[in-house]
Amino acid sequence: MLKRNLIGIASVLLASLAVILFNVPLVRSQGLTITVAAVEGALPVEAPDADLWQLATAVEVPLSAQMIARPIIPETNARSVTVRALHNGEEIAFLLEWMDATRNDSTLRSDEFRDSVALQFPLLDSQPFYCMGQQGGNVNIWHWKADWQTALIAQQTLQDVYPNIHVDMYPFIVESENIYSAAYAEDEFLPAEAAGNLLAMPTRSTPVEDMVAGGFGSLTSQSPEGQNVQGYGAWRNGVWRVIFSRSLHSEETEDISFTPGMLHAVAFAVWDGANQERNGAKSTSQWVSLQLAGPRGAGVITTAETAAQAPLTASVAATAPTGFNALFWGFIGLLILILLGIGVVMLYFHLSSKT
């Protein structure tokens, strides 16, 4: 019985040794890949129902609650987001769709929270942490906000929400019949707006905030001049459909630039205002492959360089070590010693059985 057990142990160790030496993949899974279809002509940047979107393959990306940094809501409402993407050689556009039973596009009341969605792109070839990046691994974030979208269409004020509100006076303002729309005479009384804080701007040109982050607590808006991502959202029958669009290349150093035929990575986040989701309380995805097709009819161009940049989710496998790895060779030495010990014990029992 002991001899049989030793043979079994030796077989397992030999198999482990073979797996390590010959780089046999232990796990292999096919990750999601969003193919950005190449089209001709203008992109439907404000038309989620346009037929052109049907040329792009819809990919459903699973989402789960962010459970690492506070605030945390264990039960978020968005379970997945469906993504389509197009480019015409100059611009790129993403169409995101997800289920949301209520439309939350106002934050004038203190107990209101908006619906929103974001895209995230790593700024380095490697993939940092999928939630906000990490130190030394910045990410570019495009954040569409439903209340910013509403403000572009029909600006609301506190008087619209609270029609019986009364204010005696505001100092330092220009005389106006409507005190709620009166402008301050001097910028010194609006330091946030003077500093270029997007949240304090009286008007905006886009419902998307272009930001950069390098870990939790580092989220920073790009300058007003660097806000080059456009967006358009529409809610209908319990579904949000939001379009992001931007030129393929950007002069901003903290912006992602896209190259047809290359592989990129993207992650997603969704907030449901009805569930009081905001800040870190959101649904997030892991990194997903993003591949821009070449010119229409030319297919997708893949090179050795771009393949090396493929997201880790596309293929999880053992990789051969490069250079001297003390831990690796130490483990190999330990296996050899164990095998030698088993061999000596088996030889001893073999000789004993003959005497």
Side-chain angles (χ1 to χ4, degrees):
M1 178 65 71
L2 179 59
K3 183 177 180 180
R4 184 179 302 171
N5 290 338
L6 289 173
I7 293 175
I9 294 173
S11 300
V12 172
L13 292 174
L14 285 172
S16 301
L17 185 61
V19 165
I20 294 172
L21 291 177
F22 295 101
N23 191 26
V24 178
L26 297 178
V27 178
R28 182 172 295 275
S29 60
Q30 182 63 45
L32 296 174
T33 299
I34 299 170
T35 300
V36 185
V39 298
E40 297 177 353
L43 300 180
V45 295
E46 293 187 358
D49 295 321
D51 293 337
L52 201 60
W53 289 112
Q54 301 307 313
L55 297 178
T57 301
V59 177
E60 185 175 6
V61 179
L63 304 172
S64 59
Q66 188 279 128
M67 298 292 290
I68 299 172
R70 296 180 182 276
I72 293 173
I73 297 180
E75 293 296 330
T76 51
N77 286 344
R79 304 299 183 184
S80 66
V81 58
T82 300
V83 185
R84 291 180 172 88
L86 302 169
H87 82 88
N88 59 7
E90 297 180 357
E91 294 180 301
I92 188 170
F94 297 86
L95 173 61
L96 277 59
E97 302 175 82
W98 72 97
M99 302 292 293
D100 191 336
T102 58
R103 176 177 179 172
N104 303 98
D105 56 1
S106 173
T107 54
L108 289 174
R109 297 180 176 88
S110 60
D111 59 348
E112 290 181 326
F113 302 91
R114 60 173 164 245
D115 296 331
S116 56
V117 63
L119 302 177
Q120 175 182 267
F121 307 95
L123 293 176
L124 300 176
D125 291 342
S126 59
Q127 293 179 359
F129 185 51
Y130 66 90
C131 282
M132 311 294 291
Q134 62 197 46
Q135 187 175 6
N138 286 358
V139 293
N140 184 202
I141 297 175
W142 304 353
H143 189 186
W144 176 89
K145 307 175 185 186
D147 57 333
W148 286 22
Q149 173 85 47
T150 299
L152 288 173
I153 298 173
Q155 179 71 50
Q156 282 189 323
T157 67
L158 284 174
Q159 193 174 25
D160 297 319
V161 177
Y162 303 105
N164 296 323
I165 192 174
H166 176 74
V167 176
D168 288 330
M169 64 170 291
Y170 279 131
F172 315 117
I173 62 172
V174 178
E175 294 293 334
S176 173
E177 294 182 359
N178 185 352
I179 195 172
Y180 302 100
S181 62
Y184 277 82
E186 302 293 339
D187 290 341
E188 285 80 359
F189 300 107
L190 299 172
E193 181 179 338
N197 188 328
L198 292 179
L199 300 181
M201 293 296 177
T203 58
R204 303 182 183 92
S205 61
T206 172
V208 178
E209 185 177 8
D210 191 0
M211 301 177 286
V212 64
F216 292 116
S218 66
L219 188 63
T220 305
S221 297
Q222 299 200 36
S223 65
E225 297 77 16
Q227 298 296 318
N228 53 9
V229 183
Q230 296 299 313
Y232 177 83
W235 182 91
R236 186 174 63 201
N237 299 328
V239 177
W240 270 114
R241 309 176 75 189
V242 175
I243 298 173
F244 293 85
S245 61
R246 205 207 69 185
S247 60
L248 288 179
H249 302 285
S250 173
E251 299 299 327
E252 300 290 327
T253 57
E254 298 290 354
D255 275 353
I256 180 69
S257 287
F258 304 96
T259 302
M262 293 193 66
L263 290 172
H264 301 272
V266 61
F268 303 90
V270 173
W271 291 259
D272 183 2
N275 196 36
Q276 298 188 356
E277 297 175 18
R278 73 278 190 193
N279 301 329
K282 57 187 176 182
S283 298
T284 64
S285 77
Q286 300 279 341
W287 289 115
V288 177
S289 302
L290 181 69
Q291 191 172 44
L292 275 71
R296 191 172 182 184
V300 176
I301 304 170
T302 304
T303 64
E305 181 180 356
T306 58
Q309 300 173 6
L312 297 178
T313 53
S315 179
V316 182
T319 56
T322 57
F324 179 78
N325 188 314
L327 183 61
F328 172 80
W329 290 110
F331 181 67
I332 294 297
L334 180 61
L335 279 178
I336 292 174
L337 289 175
I338 293 174
L339 289 172
L340 287 175
I342 292 175
V344 170
V345 173
M346 293 179 65
L347 179 61
Y348 170 78
F349 280 103
H350 176 71
L351 295 176
S352 297
S353 64
K354 291 187 174 183
T355 59

